[in-house]
Amino acid sequence: MKKIIMSAALSLLGLTLSVVHADENAIRQALAKSMPSVTVESVKPSEISGLFEVTVGGNIFYVSGDGKYLIQGHLVDVAARTDLTEEKLSGTRKQAIEKLGLDKMIVFKPKISKYTVSVFTDIDCGYCRKLHSEIDQYMAEGITIQYLFFPRAGKGSDSYSKAVSVWCAADRKAALTAAKKGDKLEAKTCDNPVDQHMQLAEDFEVKGTPMIVTEKGNIFPGYLPAKQLIEALEDERNPK
């Protein structure tokens, strides 16, 4: 009897996996046809039967099994009062930043680093300039800051050109500091990751700058003084 039950269970599992695989293929094909520029990184069943979780860059969508319908939003466990999507998004953000790599960011690192944050910044944003004007305070708290550019005016704007010029400068950190002070930079062009930064910002649904992303992939929107940021990072690492 046990062998019969086990055999039936394995057959059911195999059937279920076949259906899931078929749904995944249908979703990938549908998205490839309707959104050819989108790279689907993963497709897997969501917590809701018949709805699949699709990861694209640093974002998560929900798609019907036939690929016809897409839902953009957060899935919430009402009973547990938990944002399931946000929990997973933190992981995708973390992976996306790691995949980008340090060689494509401008990094300010203290002698002893306790925490690392990635900051989407716009050279002409007032609070971005305020944050950078206090860079020594962040360094004193042991916070490494990894800058990514998000010129909110878009590609081709003056802010975009400044970001490219900073990246192409011989001393990127010095050029960024000068630009944040409002100094005029020598216009330069070269291979640069600014478009990649902007795509990542779009994937992360960045609405304004600065936007701080923690090592765990959580988001702190807006400017935070060094003392307040270190407290938030300590709370994240050691939740009460």
mmCIF file of all heavy atoms in Angstrom, residues 131-179:
data_model
loop_
_atom_site.group_PDB
_atom_site.id
_atom_site.type_symbol
_atom_site.label_atom_id
_atom_site.label_comp_id
_atom_site.label_asym_id
_atom_site.label_seq_id
_atom_site.Cartn_x
_atom_site.Cartn_y
_atom_site.Cartn_z
ATOM 1 N N LEU A 131 23.936 65.667 1.274
ATOM 2 C CA LEU A 131 24.490 64.389 1.725
ATOM 3 C C LEU A 131 25.988 64.329 1.432
ATOM 4 O O LEU A 131 26.785 63.982 2.311
ATOM 5 C CB LEU A 131 23.763 63.229 1.030
ATOM 6 C CG LEU A 131 24.080 61.799 1.502
ATOM 7 C CD1 LEU A 131 22.891 60.878 1.222
ATOM 8 C CD2 LEU A 131 25.329 61.224 0.853
ATOM 9 N N HIS A 132 26.373 64.706 0.219
ATOM 10 C CA HIS A 132 27.792 64.596 -0.129
ATOM 11 C C HIS A 132 28.644 65.619 0.617
ATOM 12 O O HIS A 132 29.826 65.355 0.898
ATOM 13 C CB HIS A 132 27.996 64.745 -1.629
ATOM 14 C CG HIS A 132 29.370 64.359 -2.057
ATOM 15 N ND1 HIS A 132 29.806 63.049 -2.059
ATOM 16 C CD2 HIS A 132 30.435 65.111 -2.468
ATOM 17 C CE1 HIS A 132 31.067 62.999 -2.451
ATOM 18 N NE2 HIS A 132 31.465 64.241 -2.709
ATOM 19 N N SER A 133 28.063 66.758 0.949
ATOM 20 C CA SER A 133 28.829 67.761 1.702
ATOM 21 C C SER A 133 29.185 67.260 3.101
ATOM 22 O O SER A 133 30.087 67.785 3.755
ATOM 23 C CB SER A 133 28.029 69.072 1.800
ATOM 24 O OG SER A 133 26.924 68.925 2.700
ATOM 25 N N GLU A 134 28.472 66.216 3.539
ATOM 26 C CA GLU A 134 28.711 65.632 4.858
ATOM 27 C C GLU A 134 29.389 64.267 4.752
ATOM 28 O O GLU A 134 29.322 63.451 5.670
ATOM 29 C CB GLU A 134 27.375 65.502 5.603
ATOM 30 C CG GLU A 134 26.693 66.841 5.830
ATOM 31 C CD GLU A 134 25.239 66.711 6.293
ATOM 32 O OE1 GLU A 134 24.755 65.567 6.455
ATOM 33 O OE2 GLU A 134 24.578 67.752 6.473
ATOM 34 N N ILE A 135 30.076 64.022 3.625
ATOM 35 C CA ILE A 135 30.680 62.710 3.378
ATOM 36 C C ILE A 135 31.651 62.317 4.485
ATOM 37 O O ILE A 135 31.733 61.133 4.858
ATOM 38 C CB ILE A 135 31.378 62.678 1.990
ATOM 39 C CG1 ILE A 135 31.699 61.236 1.571
ATOM 40 C CG2 ILE A 135 32.612 63.549 1.966
ATOM 41 C CD1 ILE A 135 30.519 60.406 1.212
ATOM 42 N N ASP A 136 32.364 63.285 5.046
ATOM 43 C CA ASP A 136 33.310 62.985 6.126
ATOM 44 C C ASP A 136 32.589 62.443 7.369
ATOM 45 O O ASP A 136 33.142 61.621 8.101
ATOM 46 C CB ASP A 136 34.125 64.230 6.506
ATOM 47 C CG ASP A 136 35.134 64.607 5.427
ATOM 48 O OD1 ASP A 136 35.418 63.746 4.562
ATOM 49 O OD2 ASP A 136 35.625 65.750 5.440
ATOM 50 N N GLN A 137 31.361 62.900 7.587
ATOM 51 C CA GLN A 137 30.588 62.403 8.733
ATOM 52 C C GLN A 137 30.176 60.944 8.536
ATOM 53 O O GLN A 137 30.192 60.148 9.474
ATOM 54 C CB GLN A 137 29.351 63.276 8.940
ATOM 55 C CG GLN A 137 29.687 64.734 9.304
ATOM 56 C CD GLN A 137 28.450 65.594 9.424
ATOM 57 O OE1 GLN A 137 27.391 65.135 9.854
ATOM 58 N NE2 GLN A 137 28.566 66.868 9.020
ATOM 59 N N TYR A 138 29.822 60.594 7.305
ATOM 60 C CA TYR A 138 29.480 59.191 7.006
ATOM 61 C C TYR A 138 30.722 58.308 7.148
ATOM 62 O O TYR A 138 30.649 57.197 7.677
ATOM 63 C CB TYR A 138 28.892 59.076 5.595
ATOM 64 C CG TYR A 138 27.579 59.786 5.436
ATOM 65 C CD1 TYR A 138 27.514 61.082 4.917
ATOM 66 C CD2 TYR A 138 26.378 59.182 5.810
ATOM 67 C CE1 TYR A 138 26.313 61.755 4.783
ATOM 68 C CE2 TYR A 138 25.161 59.836 5.680
ATOM 69 C CZ TYR A 138 25.139 61.130 5.175
ATOM 70 O OH TYR A 138 23.935 61.795 5.043
ATOM 71 N N MET A 139 31.854 58.827 6.685
ATOM 72 C CA MET A 139 33.103 58.077 6.822
ATOM 73 C C MET A 139 33.447 57.865 8.292
ATOM 74 O O MET A 139 33.896 56.786 8.691
ATOM 75 C CB MET A 139 34.253 58.823 6.130
ATOM 76 C CG MET A 139 34.103 59.030 4.621
ATOM 77 S SD MET A 139 34.031 57.525 3.619
ATOM 78 C CE MET A 139 32.245 57.383 3.360
ATOM 79 N N ALA A 140 33.234 58.900 9.115
ATOM 80 C CA ALA A 140 33.533 58.805 10.546
ATOM 81 C C ALA A 140 32.673 57.752 11.229
ATOM 82 O O ALA A 140 33.092 57.140 12.224
ATOM 83 C CB ALA A 140 33.337 60.167 11.209
ATOM 84 N N GLU A 141 31.474 57.522 10.703
ATOM 85 C CA GLU A 141 30.578 56.505 11.268
ATOM 86 C C GLU A 141 30.858 55.111 10.711
ATOM 87 O O GLU A 141 30.217 54.137 11.094
ATOM 88 C CB GLU A 141 29.114 56.876 10.991
ATOM 89 C CG GLU A 141 28.649 58.142 11.684
ATOM 90 C CD GLU A 141 28.537 57.988 13.196
ATOM 91 O OE1 GLU A 141 28.562 56.845 13.692
ATOM 92 O OE2 GLU A 141 28.437 59.023 13.883
ATOM 93 N N GLY A 142 31.836 55.022 9.794
ATOM 94 C CA GLY A 142 32.180 53.724 9.228
ATOM 95 C C GLY A 142 31.242 53.272 8.123
ATOM 96 O O GLY A 142 31.085 52.073 7.880
ATOM 97 N N ILE A 143 30.623 54.232 7.433
ATOM 98 C CA ILE A 143 29.672 53.901 6.361
ATOM 99 C C ILE A 143 30.335 54.085 4.995
ATOM 100 O O ILE A 143 30.746 55.184 4.637
ATOM 101 C CB ILE A 143 28.417 54.785 6.432
ATOM 102 C CG1 ILE A 143 27.733 54.640 7.800
ATOM 103 C CG2 ILE A 143 27.441 54.416 5.310
ATOM 104 C CD1 ILE A 143 26.576 55.607 8.003
ATOM 105 N N THR A 144 30.451 53.012 4.256
ATOM 106 C CA THR A 144 30.935 53.082 2.880
ATOM 107 C C THR A 144 29.776 53.500 1.990
ATOM 108 O O THR A 144 28.676 52.946 2.082
ATOM 109 C CB THR A 144 31.473 51.715 2.409
ATOM 110 O OG1 THR A 144 32.656 51.389 3.157
ATOM 111 C CG2 THR A 144 31.810 51.732 0.929
ATOM 112 N N ILE A 145 30.018 54.477 1.113
ATOM 113 C CA ILE A 145 28.981 54.951 0.207
ATOM 114 C C ILE A 145 29.367 54.627 -1.229
ATOM 115 O O ILE A 145 30.423 55.036 -1.712
ATOM 116 C CB ILE A 145 28.740 56.459 0.374
ATOM 117 C CG1 ILE A 145 28.102 56.727 1.749
ATOM 118 C CG2 ILE A 145 27.836 56.988 -0.748
ATOM 119 C CD1 ILE A 145 27.721 58.154 2.015
ATOM 120 N N GLN A 146 28.492 53.862 -1.889
ATOM 121 C CA GLN A 146 28.673 53.491 -3.292
ATOM 122 C C GLN A 146 27.683 54.307 -4.124
ATOM 123 O O GLN A 146 26.482 54.111 -4.026
ATOM 124 C CB GLN A 146 28.414 51.990 -3.487
ATOM 125 C CG GLN A 146 29.294 51.116 -2.606
ATOM 126 C CD GLN A 146 28.947 49.637 -2.685
ATOM 127 O OE1 GLN A 146 29.717 48.778 -2.275
ATOM 128 N NE2 GLN A 146 27.769 49.312 -3.210
ATOM 129 N N TYR A 147 28.206 55.224 -4.925
ATOM 130 C CA TYR A 147 27.332 56.110 -5.696
ATOM 131 C C TYR A 147 26.946 55.516 -7.047
ATOM 132 O O TYR A 147 27.775 54.966 -7.768
ATOM 133 C CB TYR A 147 28.029 57.446 -5.945
ATOM 134 C CG TYR A 147 27.887 58.454 -4.827
ATOM 135 C CD1 TYR A 147 29.013 58.992 -4.199
ATOM 136 C CD2 TYR A 147 26.634 58.899 -4.412
ATOM 137 C CE1 TYR A 147 28.900 59.936 -3.192
ATOM 138 C CE2 TYR A 147 26.507 59.845 -3.399
ATOM 139 C CZ TYR A 147 27.648 60.353 -2.798
ATOM 140 O OH TYR A 147 27.526 61.296 -1.793
ATOM 141 N N LEU A 148 25.661 55.665 -7.375
ATOM 142 C CA LEU A 148 25.141 55.365 -8.703
ATOM 143 C C LEU A 148 24.414 56.613 -9.185
ATOM 144 O O LEU A 148 23.759 57.298 -8.397
ATOM 145 C CB LEU A 148 24.172 54.180 -8.670
ATOM 146 C CG LEU A 148 24.703 52.853 -8.149
ATOM 147 C CD1 LEU A 148 24.383 52.699 -6.664
ATOM 148 C CD2 LEU A 148 24.078 51.691 -8.917
ATOM 149 N N PHE A 149 24.510 56.915 -10.466
ATOM 150 C CA PHE A 149 23.906 58.126 -10.998
ATOM 151 C C PHE A 149 22.457 57.914 -11.419
ATOM 152 O O PHE A 149 22.115 56.935 -12.070
ATOM 153 C CB PHE A 149 24.699 58.634 -12.204
ATOM 154 C CG PHE A 149 26.045 59.202 -11.848
ATOM 155 C CD1 PHE A 149 27.201 58.553 -12.252
ATOM 156 C CD2 PHE A 149 26.151 60.364 -11.112
ATOM 157 C CE1 PHE A 149 28.451 59.071 -11.927
ATOM 158 C CE2 PHE A 149 27.392 60.891 -10.775
ATOM 159 C CZ PHE A 149 28.552 60.238 -11.186
ATOM 160 N N PHE A 150 21.619 58.881 -11.028
ATOM 161 C CA PHE A 150 20.239 58.902 -11.503
ATOM 162 C C PHE A 150 19.850 60.347 -11.800
ATOM 163 O O PHE A 150 19.181 61.008 -11.003
ATOM 164 C CB PHE A 150 19.284 58.291 -10.479
ATOM 165 C CG PHE A 150 17.845 58.292 -10.940
ATOM 166 C CD1 PHE A 150 17.502 57.802 -12.199
ATOM 167 C CD2 PHE A 150 16.828 58.780 -10.136
ATOM 168 C CE1 PHE A 150 16.179 57.818 -12.633
ATOM 169 C CE2 PHE A 150 15.502 58.790 -10.553
ATOM 170 C CZ PHE A 150 15.180 58.307 -11.820
ATOM 171 N N PRO A 151 20.332 60.871 -12.953
ATOM 172 C CA PRO A 151 19.931 62.232 -13.345
ATOM 173 C C PRO A 151 18.444 62.246 -13.676
ATOM 174 O O PRO A 151 18.016 61.690 -14.685
ATOM 175 C CB PRO A 151 20.799 62.511 -14.579
ATOM 176 C CG PRO A 151 21.230 61.170 -15.077
ATOM 177 C CD PRO A 151 21.270 60.267 -13.896
ATOM 178 N N ARG A 152 17.673 62.866 -12.812
ATOM 179 C CA ARG A 152 16.211 62.785 -12.920
ATOM 180 C C ARG A 152 15.655 63.461 -14.171
ATOM 181 O O ARG A 152 14.560 63.128 -14.620
ATOM 182 C CB ARG A 152 15.572 63.386 -11.665
ATOM 183 C CG ARG A 152 15.863 62.591 -10.397
ATOM 184 C CD ARG A 152 15.365 63.333 -9.165
ATOM 185 N NE ARG A 152 16.018 64.625 -9.019
ATOM 186 C CZ ARG A 152 15.677 65.541 -8.124
ATOM 187 N NH1 ARG A 152 14.654 65.306 -7.302
ATOM 188 N NH2 ARG A 152 16.319 66.676 -8.037
ATOM 189 N N ALA A 153 16.425 64.399 -14.734
ATOM 190 C CA ALA A 153 15.965 65.090 -15.943
ATOM 191 C C ALA A 153 16.074 64.199 -17.176
ATOM 192 O O ALA A 153 15.556 64.539 -18.236
ATOM 193 C CB ALA A 153 16.759 66.373 -16.152
ATOM 194 N N GLY A 154 16.732 63.061 -17.023
ATOM 195 C CA GLY A 154 16.791 62.085 -18.104
ATOM 196 C C GLY A 154 18.040 62.163 -18.957
ATOM 197 O O GLY A 154 18.892 63.053 -18.812
ATOM 198 N N LYS A 155 18.134 61.187 -19.854
ATOM 199 C CA LYS A 155 19.295 61.099 -20.735
ATOM 200 C C LYS A 155 19.349 62.308 -21.662
ATOM 201 O O LYS A 155 18.330 62.752 -22.195
ATOM 202 C CB LYS A 155 19.215 59.812 -21.561
ATOM 203 C CG LYS A 155 20.474 59.533 -22.371
ATOM 204 C CD LYS A 155 20.468 58.136 -22.951
ATOM 205 C CE LYS A 155 21.757 57.870 -23.706
ATOM 206 N NZ LYS A 155 21.853 56.470 -24.198
ATOM 207 N N GLY A 156 20.562 62.846 -21.822
ATOM 208 C CA GLY A 156 20.737 64.011 -22.682
ATOM 209 C C GLY A 156 20.603 65.326 -21.954
ATOM 210 O O GLY A 156 20.883 66.385 -22.526
ATOM 211 N N SER A 157 20.172 65.277 -20.698
ATOM 212 C CA SER A 157 20.021 66.505 -19.909
ATOM 213 C C SER A 157 21.387 66.998 -19.427
ATOM 214 O O SER A 157 22.404 66.300 -19.524
ATOM 215 C CB SER A 157 19.127 66.249 -18.694
ATOM 216 O OG SER A 157 19.750 65.324 -17.807
ATOM 217 N N ASP A 158 21.397 68.201 -18.883
ATOM 218 C CA ASP A 158 22.635 68.776 -18.344
ATOM 219 C C ASP A 158 23.145 67.916 -17.179
ATOM 220 O O ASP A 158 24.351 67.674 -17.064
ATOM 221 C CB ASP A 158 22.376 70.215 -17.880
ATOM 222 C CG ASP A 158 23.664 70.937 -17.499
ATOM 223 O OD1 ASP A 158 24.657 70.815 -18.246
ATOM 224 O OD2 ASP A 158 23.678 71.609 -16.459
ATOM 225 N N SER A 159 22.233 67.443 -16.361
ATOM 226 C CA SER A 159 22.620 66.598 -15.225
ATOM 227 C C SER A 159 23.233 65.283 -15.706
ATOM 228 O O SER A 159 24.176 64.762 -15.111
ATOM 229 C CB SER A 159 21.404 66.296 -14.341
ATOM 230 O OG SER A 159 20.897 67.477 -13.764
ATOM 231 N N TYR A 160 22.690 64.751 -16.789
ATOM 232 C CA TYR A 160 23.215 63.515 -17.374
ATOM 233 C C TYR A 160 24.639 63.745 -17.880
ATOM 234 O O TYR A 160 25.549 62.942 -17.627
ATOM 235 C CB TYR A 160 22.317 63.055 -18.514
ATOM 236 C CG TYR A 160 22.786 61.807 -19.219
ATOM 237 C CD1 TYR A 160 22.384 60.544 -18.792
ATOM 238 C CD2 TYR A 160 23.634 61.882 -20.332
ATOM 239 C CE1 TYR A 160 22.815 59.391 -19.439
ATOM 240 C CE2 TYR A 160 24.066 60.745 -20.982
ATOM 241 C CZ TYR A 160 23.659 59.500 -20.539
ATOM 242 O OH TYR A 160 24.101 58.363 -21.187
ATOM 243 N N SER A 161 24.845 64.848 -18.584
ATOM 244 C CA SER A 161 26.170 65.171 -19.128
ATOM 245 C C SER A 161 27.190 65.347 -18.006
ATOM 246 O O SER A 161 28.351 64.920 -18.138
ATOM 247 C CB SER A 161 26.103 66.445 -19.976
ATOM 248 O OG SER A 161 25.238 66.255 -21.085
ATOM 249 N N LYS A 162 26.759 65.957 -16.904
ATOM 250 C CA LYS A 162 27.655 66.131 -15.757
ATOM 251 C C LYS A 162 28.056 64.774 -15.176
ATOM 252 O O LYS A 162 29.209 64.564 -14.796
ATOM 253 C CB LYS A 162 26.984 66.980 -14.680
ATOM 254 C CG LYS A 162 26.819 68.444 -15.032
ATOM 255 C CD LYS A 162 26.073 69.187 -13.928
ATOM 256 C CE LYS A 162 25.826 70.637 -14.313
ATOM 257 N NZ LYS A 162 25.039 71.356 -13.265
ATOM 258 N N ALA A 163 27.090 63.858 -15.090
ATOM 259 C CA ALA A 163 27.368 62.527 -14.562
ATOM 260 C C ALA A 163 28.406 61.811 -15.424
ATOM 261 O O ALA A 163 29.339 61.182 -14.906
ATOM 262 C CB ALA A 163 26.084 61.713 -14.474
ATOM 263 N N VAL A 164 28.244 61.915 -16.741
ATOM 264 C CA VAL A 164 29.201 61.292 -17.662
ATOM 265 C C VAL A 164 30.573 61.927 -17.516
ATOM 266 O O VAL A 164 31.607 61.240 -17.483
ATOM 267 C CB VAL A 164 28.701 61.400 -19.120
ATOM 268 C CG1 VAL A 164 29.780 60.924 -20.099
ATOM 269 C CG2 VAL A 164 27.422 60.590 -19.306
ATOM 270 N N SER A 165 30.621 63.247 -17.404
ATOM 271 C CA SER A 165 31.896 63.960 -17.261
ATOM 272 C C SER A 165 32.604 63.561 -15.974
ATOM 273 O O SER A 165 33.835 63.406 -15.949
ATOM 274 C CB SER A 165 31.671 65.476 -17.285
ATOM 275 O OG SER A 165 31.202 65.900 -18.552
ATOM 276 N N VAL A 166 31.838 63.387 -14.907
ATOM 277 C CA VAL A 166 32.424 62.947 -13.632
ATOM 278 C C VAL A 166 33.032 61.564 -13.797
ATOM 279 O O VAL A 166 34.168 61.303 -13.377
ATOM 280 C CB VAL A 166 31.361 62.930 -12.512
ATOM 281 C CG1 VAL A 166 31.860 62.150 -11.297
ATOM 282 C CG2 VAL A 166 31.004 64.345 -12.091
ATOM 283 N N TRP A 167 32.283 60.675 -14.424
ATOM 284 C CA TRP A 167 32.787 59.305 -14.593
ATOM 285 C C TRP A 167 34.053 59.270 -15.448
ATOM 286 O O TRP A 167 34.965 58.478 -15.204
ATOM 287 C CB TRP A 167 31.715 58.408 -15.212
ATOM 288 C CG TRP A 167 32.187 56.989 -15.288
ATOM 289 C CD1 TRP A 167 32.781 56.366 -16.347
ATOM 290 C CD2 TRP A 167 32.173 56.036 -14.230
ATOM 291 N NE1 TRP A 167 33.135 55.077 -16.020
ATOM 292 C CE2 TRP A 167 32.762 54.851 -14.729
ATOM 293 C CE3 TRP A 167 31.709 56.070 -12.918
ATOM 294 C CZ2 TRP A 167 32.907 53.707 -13.949
ATOM 295 C CZ3 TRP A 167 31.842 54.928 -12.140
ATOM 296 C CH2 TRP A 167 32.437 53.764 -12.654
ATOM 297 N N CYS A 168 34.106 60.130 -16.442
ATOM 298 C CA CYS A 168 35.230 60.125 -17.380
ATOM 299 C C CYS A 168 36.429 60.934 -16.896
ATOM 300 O O CYS A 168 37.469 60.988 -17.574
ATOM 301 C CB CYS A 168 34.769 60.647 -18.737
ATOM 302 S SG CYS A 168 33.487 59.610 -19.509
ATOM 303 N N ALA A 169 36.297 61.577 -15.746
ATOM 304 C CA ALA A 169 37.400 62.369 -15.189
ATOM 305 C C ALA A 169 38.530 61.463 -14.698
ATOM 306 O O ALA A 169 38.306 60.301 -14.356
ATOM 307 C CB ALA A 169 36.890 63.238 -14.046
ATOM 308 N N ALA A 170 39.723 62.000 -14.656
ATOM 309 C CA ALA A 170 40.880 61.234 -14.192
ATOM 310 C C ALA A 170 40.713 60.832 -12.730
ATOM 311 O O ALA A 170 41.100 59.733 -12.323
ATOM 312 C CB ALA A 170 42.156 62.055 -14.375
ATOM 313 N N ASP A 171 40.148 61.740 -11.926
ATOM 314 C CA ASP A 171 39.881 61.466 -10.509
ATOM 315 C C ASP A 171 38.369 61.610 -10.302
ATOM 316 O O ASP A 171 37.864 62.718 -10.141
ATOM 317 C CB ASP A 171 40.646 62.449 -9.625
ATOM 318 C CG ASP A 171 40.530 62.117 -8.134
ATOM 319 O OD1 ASP A 171 39.535 61.476 -7.733
ATOM 320 O OD2 ASP A 171 41.434 62.501 -7.368
ATOM 321 N N ARG A 172 37.664 60.499 -10.348
ATOM 322 C CA ARG A 172 36.200 60.531 -10.283
ATOM 323 C C ARG A 172 35.687 61.087 -8.964
ATOM 324 O O ARG A 172 34.715 61.849 -8.933
ATOM 325 C CB ARG A 172 35.645 59.129 -10.509
ATOM 326 C CG ARG A 172 35.851 58.611 -11.919
ATOM 327 C CD ARG A 172 35.518 57.144 -12.033
ATOM 328 N NE ARG A 172 35.806 56.644 -13.376
ATOM 329 C CZ ARG A 172 36.002 55.377 -13.673
ATOM 330 N NH1 ARG A 172 35.906 54.449 -12.722
ATOM 331 N NH2 ARG A 172 36.265 55.011 -14.913
ATOM 332 N N LYS A 173 36.309 60.715 -7.873
ATOM 333 C CA LYS A 173 35.831 61.189 -6.570
ATOM 334 C C LYS A 173 36.005 62.698 -6.432
ATOM 335 O O LYS A 173 35.114 63.394 -5.939
ATOM 336 C CB LYS A 173 36.543 60.438 -5.440
ATOM 337 C CG LYS A 173 36.147 58.971 -5.364
ATOM 338 C CD LYS A 173 36.471 58.336 -4.031
ATOM 339 C CE LYS A 173 37.944 58.056 -3.900
ATOM 340 N NZ LYS A 173 38.242 57.267 -2.673
ATOM 341 N N ALA A 174 37.146 63.188 -6.881
ATOM 342 C CA ALA A 174 37.383 64.633 -6.817
ATOM 343 C C ALA A 174 36.421 65.364 -7.752
ATOM 344 O O ALA A 174 35.889 66.427 -7.410
ATOM 345 C CB ALA A 174 38.830 64.946 -7.196
ATOM 346 N N ALA A 175 36.182 64.797 -8.926
ATOM 347 C CA ALA A 175 35.279 65.422 -9.892
ATOM 348 C C ALA A 175 33.847 65.444 -9.355
ATOM 349 O O ALA A 175 33.127 66.433 -9.525
ATOM 350 C CB ALA A 175 35.335 64.668 -11.218
ATOM 351 N N LEU A 176 33.438 64.353 -8.696
ATOM 352 C CA LEU A 176 32.086 64.301 -8.135
ATOM 353 C C LEU A 176 31.933 65.350 -7.039
ATOM 354 O O LEU A 176 30.924 66.064 -6.988
ATOM 355 C CB LEU A 176 31.805 62.912 -7.565
ATOM 356 C CG LEU A 176 30.417 62.717 -6.949
ATOM 357 C CD1 LEU A 176 29.326 62.962 -7.975
ATOM 358 C CD2 LEU A 176 30.281 61.321 -6.353
ATOM 359 N N THR A 177 32.931 65.470 -6.180
ATOM 360 C CA THR A 177 32.879 66.457 -5.101
ATOM 361 C C THR A 177 32.799 67.875 -5.673
ATOM 362 O O THR A 177 32.020 68.705 -5.197
ATOM 363 C CB THR A 177 34.103 66.313 -4.182
ATOM 364 O OG1 THR A 177 34.093 65.011 -3.571
ATOM 365 C CG2 THR A 177 34.108 67.370 -3.089
ATOM 366 N N ALA A 178 33.593 68.142 -6.712
ATOM 367 C CA ALA A 178 33.576 69.463 -7.342
ATOM 368 C C ALA A 178 32.218 69.740 -7.978
ATOM 369 O O ALA A 178 31.659 70.834 -7.834
ATOM 370 C CB ALA A 178 34.684 69.546 -8.387
ATOM 371 N N ALA A 179 31.675 68.748 -8.661
ATOM 372 C CA ALA A 179 30.377 68.917 -9.319
ATOM 373 C C ALA A 179 29.275 69.163 -8.297
ATOM 374 O O ALA A 179 28.372 69.972 -8.525
ATOM 375 C CB ALA A 179 30.051 67.677 -10.159
#
